[in-house]
Amino acid sequence: MSPRMLGMLGGMSWVSSAQLYTQINQGVAARRGGLHSAALLLHSVDFAPLAVAQAAGDWAAIARQLGEAGAGLRRAGAQALLLATNTMHAVADEIEKRAELPLLHLVDITAAALLQHGVRTVGLLGARFTMELPFYAERLERHGIALRVPDQDGRGAVHRCIYDELCQDRVTPAATALLQAQVQALAGAGAQAVVLGCTELSLALPAAAPVALPLFDSTALQAAAAVDWLCTDRPTERSAAAGANAQSTPCLTNRPLT
């Protein structure tokens, strides 16, 4: 039986795409053993012009470019899409329509993990667009989950940290301290856990970093969902995958949820 082929829209940033690519391949290798790796088609875009379009609010142009890239992956043999960025899920529906492929939607993946752990109110750290545009909150609300985000100053500081440092593969102690403080503030706002809603954030908040709340890493969650999708073409693996998912989901801390 031929393996499933997953299309990946990446490059936003290349740092996060490299993390996701690595984790997906590690997961497939662990699941299937031996020399197995992930059957992926990657279209990595130049992030700079897309970042300019983001700042200008030209989301239609972003949807058009990423949708066309997704259609190219479909023509190359992809059977589903993975969008390797949180922020660009603001135009996920348009991308999916243009590409004519089902999208493994990151917010739905995240919501499933949160509900599995009983989280009904969650904090979100990410780019300013991710925290301020309605797509994340509205999608979580469909699953019965309420969203909390940092205040205006906090959102600005986290955004600058992502774009000026993490997207350029620079991680500093100051970035870690900033994110720790924002997690603490979200705890004070009633969040039970925090989603790292930008695929670079786990670089500055690794598992060893002390934080006030459990962290759900969007990159790890997305990678796990991709591995499940890639590995369900073999009937004997479906029950094993379901059992593994029932036991745990990627979460950066082992703090109990209360």
Side-chain angles (χ1 to χ4, degrees):
M1 182 181 295
S2 299
R4 283 181 162 191
M5 183 70 70
L6 183 61
M8 179 171 160
L9 293 171
M12 302 163 279
S13 68
W14 70 264
V15 177
S16 63
S17 298
Q19 283 186 287
L20 186 58
Y21 178 85
T22 298
Q23 290 183 29
I24 292 171
N25 277 282
Q26 288 172 335
V28 169
R31 183 78 62 88
R32 290 187 166 168
L35 296 177
H36 283 290
S37 56
L40 293 172
L41 289 171
L42 171 63
H43 185 130
S44 185
V45 302
D46 180 5
F47 189 29
L50 287 175
V52 172
Q54 283 180 334
D58 193 357
W59 295 98
I62 292 170
R64 184 168 56 251
Q65 180 176 340
L66 293 180
E68 290 171 358
L73 292 172
R74 172 178 50 78
R75 290 191 294 270
Q79 297 161 291
L81 279 181
L82 194 70
L83 185 54
T85 160
N86 281 261
T87 296
M88 298 307 192
H89 278 76
V91 289
D93 291 344
E94 291 91 337
I95 292 170
E96 192 173 35
K97 182 178 179 180
R98 285 178 176 273
E100 298 180 15
L101 281 176
L103 177 73
L104 307 186
H105 200 292
L106 181 55
V107 182
D108 292 338
I109 293 166
T110 301
L114 294 170
L115 292 174
Q116 181 180 336
H117 287 277
V119 176
R120 292 290 182 172
T121 302
V122 70
L124 175 66
L125 296 178
R128 182 188 294 278
F129 314 107
T130 304
M131 294 185 287
E132 294 183 353
L133 291 174
F135 72 96
Y136 226 104
E138 289 177 353
R139 195 92 179 192
L140 286 178
E141 188 177 355
R142 296 181 197 175
H143 297 275
I145 300 171
L147 189 66
R148 301 285 185 269
V149 297
D151 61 19
Q152 183 174 350
D153 289 343
R155 295 195 301 272
V158 173
H159 182 87
R160 288 189 296 274
C161 174
I162 291 168
Y163 277 74
D164 296 347
E165 297 182 39
L166 302 181
C167 282
Q168 299 177 49
D169 203 21
R170 295 203 305 268
V171 182
T172 64
T176 299
L178 165 67
L179 297 174
Q180 288 171 318
Q182 293 304 317
V183 172
Q184 182 68 55
L186 289 168
Q192 298 169 273
V194 169
V195 170
L196 300 184
C198 174
T199 40
E200 292 87 1
L201 285 175
S202 61
L203 296 171
L205 274 182
V211 287
L213 290 173
L215 304 178
F216 286 77
D217 177 13
S218 64
T219 304
L221 291 167
Q222 194 173 32
V227 171
D228 285 344
W229 187 89
L230 286 163
C231 290
T232 52
D233 62 333
R234 298 185 180 184
T236 56
E237 291 176 328
R238 289 176 184 160
S239 59
N245 286 340
Q247 294 170 24
S248 63
T249 54
C251 180
L252 283 185
T253 75
N254 59 5
R255 292 169 177 78
L257 294 171
T258 58

